PDB file of all heavy atoms in Angstrom:
ATOM      1  N   ASN V 158       2.135  10.904   1.085  1.00 48.00           N
ATOM      2  CA  ASN V 158       3.313  11.722   1.396  1.00 48.00           C
ATOM      3  C   ASN V 158       2.826  13.208   1.750  1.00 48.00           C
ATOM      4  O   ASN V 158       3.704  13.873   2.298  1.00 48.00           O
ATOM      5  CB  ASN V 158       4.148  11.930   0.029  1.00 48.00           C
ATOM      6  CG  ASN V 158       4.851  10.600  -0.235  1.00 48.00           C
ATOM      7  OD1 ASN V 158       5.182   9.836   0.626  1.00 48.00           O
ATOM      8  ND2 ASN V 158       5.109  10.333  -1.546  1.00 48.00           N
ATOM      9  N   THR V 167      -6.393  16.628  17.161  1.00 92.00           N
ATOM     10  CA  THR V 167      -6.947  16.429  18.350  1.00 92.00           C
ATOM     11  C   THR V 167      -8.525  16.228  18.206  1.00 92.00           C
ATOM     12  O   THR V 167      -8.942  16.588  17.157  1.00 92.00           O
ATOM     13  CB  THR V 167      -6.749  17.561  19.362  1.00 92.00           C
ATOM     14  OG1 THR V 167      -7.462  18.731  18.864  1.00 92.00           O
ATOM     15  CG2 THR V 167      -5.263  17.814  19.592  1.00 92.00           C
ATOM     16  N   THR V 168      -9.140  15.609  19.031  1.00 91.00           N
ATOM     17  CA  THR V 168     -10.560  15.405  19.044  1.00 91.00           C
ATOM     18  C   THR V 168     -11.283  16.753  18.972  1.00 91.00           C
ATOM     19  O   THR V 168     -12.172  16.932  18.191  1.00 91.00           O
ATOM     20  CB  THR V 168     -11.088  14.583  20.309  1.00 91.00           C
ATOM     21  OG1 THR V 168     -10.387  13.403  20.323  1.00 91.00           O
ATOM     22  CG2 THR V 168     -12.574  14.360  20.204  1.00 91.00           C
ATOM     23  N   GLU V 169     -10.809  17.669  19.789  1.00 90.00           N
ATOM     24  CA  GLU V 169     -11.326  19.086  19.788  1.00 90.00           C
ATOM     25  C   GLU V 169     -11.203  19.763  18.291  1.00 90.00           C
ATOM     26  O   GLU V 169     -12.115  20.328  17.950  1.00 90.00           O
ATOM     27  CB  GLU V 169     -10.651  19.910  20.767  1.00 90.00           C
ATOM     28  CG  GLU V 169     -10.980  21.289  20.937  1.00 90.00           C
ATOM     29  CD  GLU V 169     -10.481  22.242  21.961  1.00 90.00           C
ATOM     30  OE1 GLU V 169      -9.870  21.617  22.986  1.00 90.00           O
ATOM     31  OE2 GLU V 169     -10.359  23.322  21.955  1.00 90.00           O
ATOM     32  N   LYS V 174     -13.531  21.615  13.406  1.00 91.00           N
ATOM     33  CA  LYS V 174     -13.654  21.549  11.838  1.00 91.00           C
ATOM     34  C   LYS V 174     -14.862  20.915  11.343  1.00 91.00           C
ATOM     35  O   LYS V 174     -15.479  21.437  10.282  1.00 91.00           O
ATOM     36  CB  LYS V 174     -12.314  20.751  11.250  1.00 91.00           C
ATOM     37  CG  LYS V 174     -11.050  21.499  11.392  1.00 91.00           C
ATOM     38  CD  LYS V 174      -9.865  20.729  10.832  1.00 91.00           C
ATOM     39  CE  LYS V 174      -8.648  21.520  10.826  1.00 91.00           C
ATOM     40  NZ  LYS V 174      -7.659  20.898   9.946  1.00 91.00           N
ATOM     41  N   GLY V 176     -17.825  20.803  12.819  1.00 87.00           N
ATOM     42  CA  GLY V 176     -18.879  21.807  13.128  1.00 87.00           C
ATOM     43  C   GLY V 176     -18.905  22.928  12.100  1.00 87.00           C
ATOM     44  O   GLY V 176     -19.882  23.395  11.618  1.00 87.00           O
ATOM     45  N   GLU V 177     -17.653  23.557  11.745  1.00 89.00           N
ATOM     46  CA  GLU V 177     -17.573  24.599  10.871  1.00 89.00           C
ATOM     47  C   GLU V 177     -18.009  24.215   9.498  1.00 89.00           C
ATOM     48  O   GLU V 177     -18.737  24.856   8.712  1.00 89.00           O
ATOM     49  CB  GLU V 177     -16.039  25.108  10.869  1.00 89.00           C
ATOM     50  CG  GLU V 177     -15.721  25.911  12.000  1.00 89.00           C
ATOM     51  CD  GLU V 177     -14.205  26.217  11.927  1.00 89.00           C
ATOM     52  OE1 GLU V 177     -13.539  25.742  11.067  1.00 89.00           O
ATOM     53  OE2 GLU V 177     -13.806  26.922  12.905  1.00 89.00           O
ATOM     54  N   SER V 180     -21.685  23.786   9.502  1.00 85.00           N
ATOM     55  CA  SER V 180     -22.350  25.306   9.521  1.00 85.00           C
ATOM     56  C   SER V 180     -22.322  25.779   8.187  1.00 85.00           C
ATOM     57  O   SER V 180     -23.336  26.574   7.791  1.00 85.00           O
ATOM     58  CB  SER V 180     -21.600  25.982  10.534  1.00 85.00           C
ATOM     59  OG  SER V 180     -22.207  27.376  10.592  1.00 85.00           O
ATOM     60  N   TYR V 183     -25.159  23.784   5.802  1.00 87.00           N
ATOM     61  CA  TYR V 183     -26.584  23.857   6.056  1.00 87.00           C
ATOM     62  C   TYR V 183     -27.006  25.357   6.454  1.00 87.00           C
ATOM     63  O   TYR V 183     -26.266  26.050   7.008  1.00 87.00           O
ATOM     64  CB  TYR V 183     -27.066  22.946   7.106  1.00 87.00           C
ATOM     65  CG  TYR V 183     -26.859  21.523   6.718  1.00 87.00           C
ATOM     66  CD1 TYR V 183     -25.788  20.717   7.226  1.00 87.00           C
ATOM     67  CD2 TYR V 183     -27.666  20.841   5.821  1.00 87.00           C
ATOM     68  CE1 TYR V 183     -25.553  19.435   6.922  1.00 87.00           C
ATOM     69  CE2 TYR V 183     -27.519  19.545   5.465  1.00 87.00           C
ATOM     70  CZ  TYR V 183     -26.441  18.827   5.982  1.00 87.00           C
ATOM     71  OH  TYR V 183     -26.283  17.539   5.713  1.00 87.00           O
ATOM     72  N   ASP V 184     -28.199  25.691   6.088  1.00 85.00           N
ATOM     73  CA  ASP V 184     -28.776  26.992   6.536  1.00 85.00           C
ATOM     74  C   ASP V 184     -29.480  26.933   7.924  1.00 85.00           C
ATOM     75  O   ASP V 184     -29.642  25.922   8.473  1.00 85.00           O
ATOM     76  CB  ASP V 184     -29.655  27.581   5.443  1.00 85.00           C
ATOM     77  CG  ASP V 184     -30.913  26.891   5.208  1.00 85.00           C
ATOM     78  OD1 ASP V 184     -31.180  25.823   5.944  1.00 85.00           O
ATOM     79  OD2 ASP V 184     -31.564  27.098   4.301  1.00 85.00           O
ATOM     80  N   GLY V 192     -33.734  20.923  15.294  1.00 83.00           N
ATOM     81  CA  GLY V 192     -33.963  21.270  16.705  1.00 83.00           C
ATOM     82  C   GLY V 192     -35.466  21.033  17.123  1.00 83.00           C
ATOM     83  O   GLY V 192     -35.645  20.520  18.281  1.00 83.00           O
ATOM     84  N   THR V 198     -39.156  15.012  20.269  1.00 84.00           N
ATOM     85  CA  THR V 198     -38.706  13.742  20.869  1.00 84.00           C
ATOM     86  C   THR V 198     -38.518  13.854  22.286  1.00 84.00           C
ATOM     87  O   THR V 198     -38.985  12.950  23.121  1.00 84.00           O
ATOM     88  CB  THR V 198     -37.573  13.194  20.139  1.00 84.00           C
ATOM     89  OG1 THR V 198     -37.825  13.015  18.749  1.00 84.00           O
ATOM     90  CG2 THR V 198     -37.047  11.782  20.751  1.00 84.00           C
ATOM     91  N   GLY V 216     -33.762  29.563  35.414  1.00 58.00           N
ATOM     92  CA  GLY V 216     -34.152  30.829  35.965  1.00 58.00           C
ATOM     93  C   GLY V 216     -33.080  31.314  36.986  1.00 58.00           C
ATOM     94  O   GLY V 216     -32.787  32.412  36.971  1.00 58.00           O
ATOM     95  N   GLY V 222     -25.362  32.836  30.710  1.00 44.00           N
ATOM     96  CA  GLY V 222     -25.212  32.340  29.314  1.00 44.00           C
ATOM     97  C   GLY V 222     -25.608  33.417  28.226  1.00 44.00           C
ATOM     98  O   GLY V 222     -25.777  34.453  28.708  1.00 44.00           O
ATOM     99  N   ASN V 230     -35.892  45.306  19.900  1.00 56.00           N
ATOM    100  CA  ASN V 230     -34.769  46.080  20.010  1.00 56.00           C
ATOM    101  C   ASN V 230     -33.543  45.161  19.879  1.00 56.00           C
ATOM    102  O   ASN V 230     -33.207  44.406  20.635  1.00 56.00           O
ATOM    103  CB  ASN V 230     -34.674  46.822  21.326  1.00 56.00           C
ATOM    104  CG  ASN V 230     -33.476  47.748  21.471  1.00 56.00           C
ATOM    105  OD1 ASN V 230     -32.541  47.726  20.445  1.00 56.00           O
ATOM    106  ND2 ASN V 230     -33.407  48.440  22.518  1.00 56.00           N
ATOM    107  N   GLN V 235     -27.907  39.044  20.847  1.00 88.00           N
ATOM    108  CA  GLN V 235     -26.767  38.317  20.272  1.00 88.00           C
ATOM    109  C   GLN V 235     -27.239  37.468  19.184  1.00 88.00           C
ATOM    110  O   GLN V 235     -28.278  36.688  19.408  1.00 88.00           O
ATOM    111  CB  GLN V 235     -25.904  37.654  21.383  1.00 88.00           C
ATOM    112  CG  GLN V 235     -25.322  38.523  22.364  1.00 88.00           C
ATOM    113  CD  GLN V 235     -24.539  37.898  23.436  1.00 88.00           C
ATOM    114  OE1 GLN V 235     -24.993  36.804  23.889  1.00 88.00           O
ATOM    115  NE2 GLN V 235     -23.312  38.369  23.792  1.00 88.00           N
ATOM    116  N   LYS V 237     -25.835  34.350  16.638  1.00 90.00           N
ATOM    117  CA  LYS V 237     -24.773  33.322  16.389  1.00 90.00           C
ATOM    118  C   LYS V 237     -24.373  33.142  14.905  1.00 90.00           C
ATOM    119  O   LYS V 237     -25.394  33.218  14.046  1.00 90.00           O
ATOM    120  CB  LYS V 237     -25.310  32.024  16.975  1.00 90.00           C
ATOM    121  CG  LYS V 237     -24.158  30.918  17.156  1.00 90.00           C
ATOM    122  CD  LYS V 237     -24.825  29.776  17.902  1.00 90.00           C
ATOM    123  CE  LYS V 237     -23.827  28.697  17.900  1.00 90.00           C
ATOM    124  NZ  LYS V 237     -24.273  27.546  18.623  1.00 90.00           N
ATOM    125  N   GLU V 244     -32.319  42.503  10.697  1.00 92.00           N
ATOM    126  CA  GLU V 244     -32.350  43.864  10.113  1.00 92.00           C
ATOM    127  C   GLU V 244     -31.075  44.306   9.556  1.00 92.00           C
ATOM    128  O   GLU V 244     -30.021  43.780  10.011  1.00 92.00           O
ATOM    129  CB  GLU V 244     -32.973  44.859  11.039  1.00 92.00           C
ATOM    130  CG  GLU V 244     -32.024  45.237  12.263  1.00 92.00           C
ATOM    131  CD  GLU V 244     -32.753  46.233  13.254  1.00 92.00           C
ATOM    132  OE1 GLU V 244     -34.013  46.038  13.476  1.00 92.00           O
ATOM    133  OE2 GLU V 244     -32.017  46.971  13.866  1.00 92.00           O
ATOM    134  N   GLY V 246     -27.808  46.582   8.965  1.00 92.00           N
ATOM    135  CA  GLY V 246     -26.926  47.306   9.870  1.00 92.00           C
ATOM    136  C   GLY V 246     -25.635  46.873   9.989  1.00 92.00           C
ATOM    137  O   GLY V 246     -25.180  45.933   9.367  1.00 92.00           O
ATOM    138  N   SER V 259     -12.824  37.576  21.415  1.00 76.00           N
ATOM    139  CA  SER V 259     -12.318  37.934  20.096  1.00 76.00           C
ATOM    140  C   SER V 259     -11.480  39.099  20.286  1.00 76.00           C
ATOM    141  O   SER V 259     -11.793  40.082  20.865  1.00 76.00           O
ATOM    142  CB  SER V 259     -13.397  38.085  19.109  1.00 76.00           C
ATOM    143  OG  SER V 259     -12.938  38.513  17.772  1.00 76.00           O
ATOM    144  N   ASP V 260     -10.425  39.161  19.520  1.00 74.00           N
ATOM    145  CA  ASP V 260      -9.461  40.295  19.499  1.00 74.00           C
ATOM    146  C   ASP V 260      -9.856  41.343  18.372  1.00 74.00           C
ATOM    147  O   ASP V 260      -9.283  42.355  18.204  1.00 74.00           O
ATOM    148  CB  ASP V 260      -7.938  39.880  19.354  1.00 74.00           C
ATOM    149  CG  ASP V 260      -7.483  39.152  20.588  1.00 74.00           C
ATOM    150  OD1 ASP V 260      -7.966  39.408  21.669  1.00 74.00           O
ATOM    151  OD2 ASP V 260      -6.521  38.418  20.412  1.00 74.00           O
ATOM    152  N   GLY V 270     -31.671  39.511   6.549  1.00 92.00           N
ATOM    153  CA  GLY V 270     -31.687  38.083   6.027  1.00 92.00           C
ATOM    154  C   GLY V 270     -30.396  37.460   5.679  1.00 92.00           C
ATOM    155  O   GLY V 270     -30.214  36.410   5.328  1.00 92.00           O
ATOM    156  N   VAL V 286     -23.285  41.153  17.857  1.00 91.00           N
ATOM    157  CA  VAL V 286     -24.231  42.210  18.279  1.00 91.00           C
ATOM    158  C   VAL V 286     -24.209  43.345  17.318  1.00 91.00           C
ATOM    159  O   VAL V 286     -23.267  43.583  16.589  1.00 91.00           O
ATOM    160  CB  VAL V 286     -23.679  42.724  19.683  1.00 91.00           C
ATOM    161  CG1 VAL V 286     -23.837  41.730  20.782  1.00 91.00           C
ATOM    162  CG2 VAL V 286     -22.360  43.256  19.731  1.00 91.00           C
ATOM    163  N   SER V 288     -23.925  47.031  16.137  1.00 86.00           N
ATOM    164  CA  SER V 288     -23.157  48.151  16.553  1.00 86.00           C
ATOM    165  C   SER V 288     -23.766  49.478  16.067  1.00 86.00           C
ATOM    166  O   SER V 288     -23.459  50.432  16.677  1.00 86.00           O
ATOM    167  CB  SER V 288     -21.702  48.094  16.062  1.00 86.00           C
ATOM    168  OG  SER V 288     -21.637  47.793  14.680  1.00 86.00           O
TER     169      SER V 288
END
Side-chain angles (χ1 to χ4, degrees):
N158 292 329
T167 65
T168 304
E169 180 179 335
K174 286 185 174 188
E177 289 172 356
S180 179
Y183 298 103
D184 62 7
T198 300
N230 181 358
Q235 292 181 319
K237 190 174 177 182
E244 63 186 38
S259 174
D260 294 330
V286 292
S288 55

